[in-house]
Amino acid sequence: MTEGPYGFEEDGRRFVLTSATAMPAASTFLWNRRMLLQLNCRGFATAQFMQPEPAKYAHAPALEARTFMQPEQPYYAHHPGRFCYVKDEEDGGLFSVPHEPVRRAPEAFSFSVGLSDVAWRVRCAGIEVDMSVTLPADDVAELWTLRVRNRSGRHRRLSLYPYFPVGYMSWMHQSGRHRPDLNGIVCDSVTPYQKVEDYFRQRDFKDRTVLLYERVPDAWEANQAQFEGEGGLQAPHGIVAQARLGGGDAAYEMPTTVLQYSVALEDDEVQEYRFVFAPARDDDEVRRLRARHLSHAGFTAARDEHAAHIDDGAGCLRIETPDPWLDAFANHWLPRQVFYQGDVNRLTTDPQTRNYLQDHMGMAFLKPEVARAAFLHALSQQESSGAMPDGILLVEGAELKYINQIPHTDHCVWLPLCLRAYLDETGDDAILDAVVVDREGHAAPVAERVTRAMRWLLQARDARGLSYIAQGDWCDPMNMVGWRGRGVSGWLTLASAYALKQWAGLCERRGDSGLADEFRDGAAACNAAMDTHLWDGDWYGRGITDDGVAFGVGSDTEGRIFLNPQSWALLSGAADAERQARMLAAIDTHLVSPYGVAMYDPPYTRMREDIGRVTQKFPGTAENGAVYNHAAAFYLYSLYQVRDGDRAWRVLRAMLPTEAPTDCLQRGQLPVFVPNYYRGAWRLHPRTAGRSSQLFNTGTAAWLYRCLVEELFGLRGEGDALRVEPRLPSHWPSARALRRFRGARFDVRIERVEGLSQPRVAVDGLWQEALLIRGFQAGRTYEVQVDIPA
Amino acid sequence: MTEGPYGFEEDGRRFVLTSATAMPAASTFLWNRRMLLQLNCRGFATAQFMQPEPAKYAHAPALEARTFMQPEQPYYAHHPGRFCYVKDEEDGGLFSVPHEPVRRAPEAFSFSVGLSDVAWRVRCAGIEVDMSVTLPADDVAELWTLRVRNRSGRHRRLSLYPYFPVGYMSWMHQSGRHRPDLNGIVCDSVTPYQKVEDYFRQRDFKDRTVLLYERVPDAWEANQAQFEGEGGLQAPHGIVAQARLGGGDAAYEMPTTVLQYSVALEDDEVQEYRFVFAPARDDDEVRRLRARHLSHAGFTAARDEHAAHIDDGAGCLRIETPDPWLDAFANHWLPRQVFYQGDVNRLTTDPQTRNYLQDHMGMAFLKPEVARAAFLHALSQQESSGAMPDGILLVEGAELKYINQIPHTDHCVWLPLCLRAYLDETGDDAILDAVVVDREGHAAPVAERVTRAMRWLLQARDARGLSYIAQGDWCDPMNMVGWRGRGVSGWLTLASAYALKQWAGLCERRGDSGLADEFRDGAAACNAAMDTHLWDGDWYGRGITDDGVAFGVGSDTEGRIFLNPQSWALLSGAADAERQARMLAAIDTHLVSPYGVAMYDPPYTRMREDIGRVTQKFPGTAENGAVYNHAAAFYLYSLYQVRDGDRAWRVLRAMLPTEAPTDCLQRGQLPVFVPNYYRGAWRLHPRTAGRSSQLFNTGTAAWLYRCLVEELFGLRGEGDALRVEPRLPSHWPSARALRRFRGARFDVRIERVEGLSQPRVAVDGLWQEALLIRGFQAGRTYEVQVDIPA
């Protein structure tokens, strides 16, 4: 699969890109319980760990704004990265691995992304260099291996210069020096404080950055400016003009970590080096890091532990389909992305409530006990009004930061939706009776708390029955629709209806038909209000402003149609069959693009002050009219609910690049995660349409996984049974799925059978009466045959 | 004066550096009423303007932290700057002006810093390029002139590429495109907001950056990545691999502004180009900028207006001494720095109260009406307790930011000190009766407000009579000494004594001997408390912590002696002659370094939690044991008060680099401003000792100017007279000073006369009875002869 510029290896467990220039922004990421490392195919890197807010230890050379991850952030020459220069000591020839900073065209290049490691192989001038990194499972440290091999057919004398820039660490304090006693270069800094209370918060920070070596280098340099000299990063003075690195230190100067190894290699001879690059608090911690990791045995143990950590979050589904790229993605990469988000909560201390709930909806399929704890934790922060807060505080001392100080009105919606997935997957109805104590000390069972949340949604509506939007709702581009207290959200009205319906169903199942009726009536009232006030003839409008102006309607010249109200009308049951048909046709006409379904159209070209950030944010930006995969995932989910499997398939498949020779290149996206968006406005900006945001934090992952498991393969829990109702695209003759479910394993073979009118299911050779499998036992494996009409 | 690597020209009004590599961090600055532009000799630049907080329009490629100016901030390849590439169309040879990004070694280079312009001349491959910039007096815009001349003796074909990088403008929105209708490249962005209230604060921001041209270019590029390609900034693809720039746009990509001019030059032929680089709000503003400035006449008018603006802040002193570097500095550059600080208040909206008062003390010598208004404005924010706030709010809607939220206890001290200078310079005693209404609506005259401030100082002391430090005082490195409410500051106790004495003198002059006695007694009590509790045998200690531990005393191994308590003990009169001698000897022994007098010694190597930021901030940093010029200026001032003119001269002269061939190079400092510090710890870090912070915001400027005017040349106001009492260093045989004073001009010639026992003063040939000139008239010029003992 790697004859082209990229492809999968190892049964989809490895993706390989063979050019650093074809997709210069291509990136991937690694994480463990403590840290996150994003790597770009050219060697750029961004690393974060928690103390307790996200912290950096290799810094941009400019003063960094400590902010959330930035989609499509540009790289530049001095961006942090991990590099190795190689100098030919005979002719002075220079190259660098992976590609930056020298950018010499290689004889061969590969960027190889594993589930728990990333590796490069670069050959220049007959010298082959392998660089690879993995993380220990439970330490903040990068474990790097460098292997150099002489492929030139003659004796060679080289110098290797591992170069891990540290950057501008702090305006208060930064220094660097070689510490032979610690076998490394140590860069120190102090997090600045001025208020006394900040000192106590920060004094135990890991303010030090170290590069530790196993083999003692022949020379080193700790001063960035002395290393670069006039040559700059492309031809550093310390390398080009000196036989030996200068051995300098940095005293309130920008420190760096560069080592030099003199190597003489016979033909085909190999030398291997190991390094640890990490933050640390003090000498003792440096010694511990070194003792624990810096050896062949330590690296092997760490690699195995980290791989085990990833395996621990393996998905509940393994598929074999006519689409091997989808297989690789669904079997390994999508569950890995879902696991990342649920495992470390996107490296935040105050995740937005809707993100936290949806991420743990994803975890329900991987590690339901983690999801359970998260739902209980979220509910422990419910307000006495029944409202959910804008963010969930995860650690002692965390604070709701900027975005979570802005009132959004949708958070309650996600409770029944996410709980429903959890209950279907686990059958753990007992969670509904679990008692949760809130921050005011009041105890109430989960079911009662969800009921309160639903009642909060019901009362947060205007006289017309439409839901107030305040300063925003989900897909939060709009914050001026209703800040004066009157504006309403069409989407949220429909989402409330859907949430109320979901909860009514669960109340019914618990035997409380009084509550069920209350919420069914509420849902019907929401739907009716939408029909009365926001049905626009061919689709539902997005909302009505404080001044009573409907928007996202046919009379708008920009932002005329929004995807979300249509998807959620399908879910909430607001639309009858005729309206559904009109909506689907309108989506096809206005929103379907070559790279997926856009969130709205036409793109905005100017600010509309009565709507707000949607226009403030979007004109001329990557997000303007973008294919927001999270919104597309709900459209996908809603299409399955109305049993439009072929349309759903087209939406699903557009969420990740295909094997087609240019698709990855155009999107700039490796198929190892689903990004939060692809650029849209494809009629307006054809040059940039389809480009990936490169951002892997997105609720898309959980919903896409749910769609694959419950809908495409139709293997969804229902009470104590497993419902089997696949919705394969009509061009697939067959597919196979291994489904892990409540401790049992189901080996499911799906075949299209000519002349069949209804699907049928056999378990271990016995045809079942319904499309349900009951009475299975944990620990056992069942052979399941599913015949579906051709 | 320019035969060496640097020197003054035009009678000191111009400084020239002739190497870009000898002092790579050398920088200077320009400002007008609206903006500040800092320029580095290699072409790096930082520009700020107000709206109302400091804003940028050329950005670092990383996400920028919007923070105060950073001393010694490192530059890097993609740092914002102003450049011009030059390509030889015959042989493809490439260089850039001023030096970055190509860094080709030039045949000739000069970096030429004028009072109201900055210019480079660079010759490479026989082509001479002049680049220069000035600012209009009252617009946010840079006016750039580019002049290219063929010095090669043969016909040449070139391409010129003015390249003004714009950088990563915003994560919300950024784009760029050529706008032939506006004759420029326009880069748009939107300041991100999420809270609705931020939108209204920001919607009129100048979020656009434009490069406007007078002559239509042959090609252009607005997309940074397309410009650079694989070649990077040293060999951009758009220049090296293309005959013509690609004409691209940026759509949520990093924009840039690059133009291309094809030029054919006969030998000695010259071509000239003009550009405006500026932020703007919209097309209309762009058109206005263009119409107003972009022509030969517009540039000439702007240059003249800007020069007039600088002249408007000219100093009150012109000197001729045996030290021509001092003459240049004192006549042009120091008053310019003083003017900058008072003119635009360091580009802040909430200057620290002590900075605001001292900056306007400086303005008293240049534009006393501005100083008067500032003193009244500061007092209008006095608290009802008599305390002064930590910062002074300058504009509607401004807020006290981080540093000004930390309680410091010294702000009242500066009122009588700065008022005293103002009164001496202006004779405007009426200001003391001016009524100031505070924010609670209470009216009180200035004198009463100062009296309240003095009483606040008196009560903010402990039972021993020592002044509480709270979370900090002046030279604010210490914030943990007294945060629990008990710790005291030795320096502040002495400073209070000095302030009280100053105010007592002014009360006496106003005939209020009751108040005068009250404050003289208070000052004596402060001095007595110091003698009892913090005299350490050879010097005064710095303070006593919350836990009762004295520090800055002989038993400390680090931070054993601090300069400030000694200087202020000389000022407050705490020390008798014997103690004075001990203190001066201790300073000579411990604090005097080759680059000036250090603020403390020995440098700290670890944190002392009972002192705080002094140790947190300083170990291993540039500021650790630094020569803090602001502290040195007070030592200087105090030495004049005890009439130690020769010791004072050594302190003064160390504040700026001398003409000695390596002094500028070692310090990395042009003698065009006095930086806030030079690195110290010279025994510990000899490699970096003496280096300049490059930071020109410092209270040093005002005090140094006061010392020059009032002390070195001894031309100080006293009531309605001018006191004439120069304290020239003993090795100067003579000096001359032109002094502007209350509208009159005094042409003062000072001579050492053998055998003279007392100084004497003649005005227009008439010997005066005292060293005072009385009865002079505004508008007249007086010849003053001063004879001093040899």
Side-chain angles (χ1 to χ4, degrees), chain B residues 163-487:
Chain B
Y163 163 54
F164 286 23
V166 173
Y168 187 60
M169 298 177 84
S170 167
W171 58 268
M172 266 288 170
H173 173 124
Q174 56 179 2
S175 63
R177 69 189 59 77
H178 181 233
R179 287 280 301 273
D181 59 320
L182 296 175
N183 281 18
I185 292 179
V186 172
C187 304
D188 280 308
S189 68
V190 174
T191 300
Y193 82 96
Q194 290 171 315
K195 291 181 182 170
V196 167
E197 57 266 37
D198 292 338
Y199 171 71
F200 295 108
R201 246 198 302 272
Q202 298 167 2
R203 70 173 157 183
D204 293 327
F205 276 12
K206 295 175 197 286
D207 274 342
R208 166 178 284 190
T209 302
V210 295
L211 176 64
L212 304 179
Y213 49 75
E214 190 182 22
R215 293 165 67 158
V216 176
D218 297 292
W220 55 84
E221 178 61 64
N223 183 306
Q224 180 78 24
Q226 289 183 19
F227 172 60
E228 288 189 42
E230 276 297 297
L233 287 177
Q234 281 193 293
H237 177 84
I239 292 176
V240 170
Q242 297 177 181
R244 282 281 178 276
L245 287 173
D249 63 353
Y252 195 62
E253 295 159 300
M254 196 192 286
T256 196
T257 67
V258 199
L259 306 174
Q260 179 175 3
Y261 292 94
S262 300
V263 197
L265 291 177
E266 299 305 322
D267 184 38
D268 214 38
E269 188 180 343
V270 178
Q271 293 283 353
E272 188 171 281
Y273 304 82
R274 274 176 285 275
F275 306 97
V276 172
F277 189 57
R281 189 178 184 284
D282 52 23
D283 283 5
D284 282 348
E285 187 169 5
V286 173
R287 287 190 199 99
R288 273 197 303 276
L289 281 170
R290 200 183 133 59
R292 186 167 176 190
H293 300 301
L294 198 46
S295 64
H296 181 71
F299 269 44
T300 304
R303 194 187 58 213
D304 293 348
E305 277 171 38
H306 187 63
H309 174 237
I310 299 300
D311 280 351
D312 190 39
C316 61
L317 188 74
R318 287 284 182 285
I319 63 174
E320 283 172 30
T321 75
D323 185 336
W325 276 50
L326 179 73
D327 295 354
F329 182 71
N331 292 341
H332 307 296
W333 299 97
L334 182 58
R336 180 178 181 270
Q337 185 178 6
V338 171
F339 182 43
Y340 151 70
Q341 294 188 159
D343 191 30
V344 293
N345 295 298
R346 309 185 187 194
L347 263 75
T348 58
T349 58
D350 67 327
Q352 293 175 36
T353 302
R354 74 178 75 78
N355 293 348
Y356 185 66
L357 292 172
Q358 293 178 88
D359 287 352
H360 285 280
M361 182 189 85
M363 278 300 259
F365 297 100
L366 312 183
K367 293 176 79 70
E369 69 284 6
V370 174
R372 187 184 213 270
F375 294 140
L376 298 181
H377 182 69
L379 281 170
S380 76
Q381 296 180 21
Q382 186 178 35
E383 295 166 11
S384 58
S385 66
M388 291 297 286
D390 282 292
I392 301 298
L393 300 175
L394 298 185
V395 297
E396 187 71 28
E399 288 171 358
L400 292 182
K401 284 175 286 295
Y402 193 83
I403 184 67
N404 288 336
Q405 294 167 9
I406 301 166
H408 287 66
T409 46
D410 63 307
H411 293 291
C412 290
V413 160
W414 309 97
L415 280 173
L417 275 56
C418 297
L419 264 175
R420 173 62 189 271
Y422 171 81
L423 293 172
D424 286 351
E425 186 64 15
T426 62
D428 173 28
D429 281 21
I431 194 178
L432 298 174
D433 297 313
V435 172
V436 175
V437 178
D438 62 27
R439 288 192 287 187
E440 290 161 10
H442 300 304
V446 166
E448 187 181 323
R449 291 197 173 277
V450 179
T451 288
R452 287 185 202 166
M454 295 303 98
R455 286 181 179 148
W456 186 90
L457 283 177
L458 279 171
Q459 62 76 41
R461 296 184 302 151
D462 71 358
R464 293 169 294 200
L466 299 168
S467 296
Y468 292 119
I469 189 171
Q471 287 194 29
D473 59 11
W474 172 62
C475 264
D476 49 14
M478 298 184 192
N479 65 346
M480 295 179 79
V481 170
W483 62 284
R484 284 177 284 156
R486 292 188 298 277

Side-chain angles (χ1 to χ4, degrees), chain A residues 57 59 166-179 185-191 207-211 221-224 248-257, chain B residues 604-605 617-622 624 679 685 687-688:
Chain A
Y57 54 91
H59 310 262
V166 173
Y168 188 60
M169 299 177 85
S170 166
W171 59 268
M172 265 290 169
H173 172 124
Q174 57 179 4
S175 63
R177 69 191 57 78
H178 182 233
R179 286 280 301 273
I185 292 180
V186 172
C187 304
D188 281 309
S189 68
V190 174
T191 300
D207 274 342
R208 168 178 283 192
T209 302
V210 295
L211 176 65
E221 178 60 63
N223 184 305
Q224 180 79 24
D249 64 353
Y252 194 62
E253 295 159 301
M254 195 192 287
T256 196
T257 67
Chain B
Y604 287 97
T605 59
K617 182 177 180 179
F618 286 169
T621 77
N624 190 23
R679 293 202 193 189
H685 299 301
R687 177 171 64 81
T688 57

Side-chain angles (χ1 to χ4, degrees), chain A residues 231-279:
Chain A
L233 286 178
Q234 282 193 292
H237 178 85
I239 291 177
V240 170
Q242 296 179 180
R244 282 279 178 277
L245 287 173
D249 64 353
Y252 194 62
E253 295 159 301
M254 195 192 287
T256 196
T257 67
V258 199
L259 306 174
Q260 179 176 5
Y261 293 94
S262 301
V263 196
L265 291 176
E266 298 305 324
D267 183 40
D268 214 40
E269 188 179 344
V270 177
Q271 293 282 354
E272 187 172 282
Y273 303 83
R274 273 176 286 274
F275 306 97
V276 172
F277 188 59

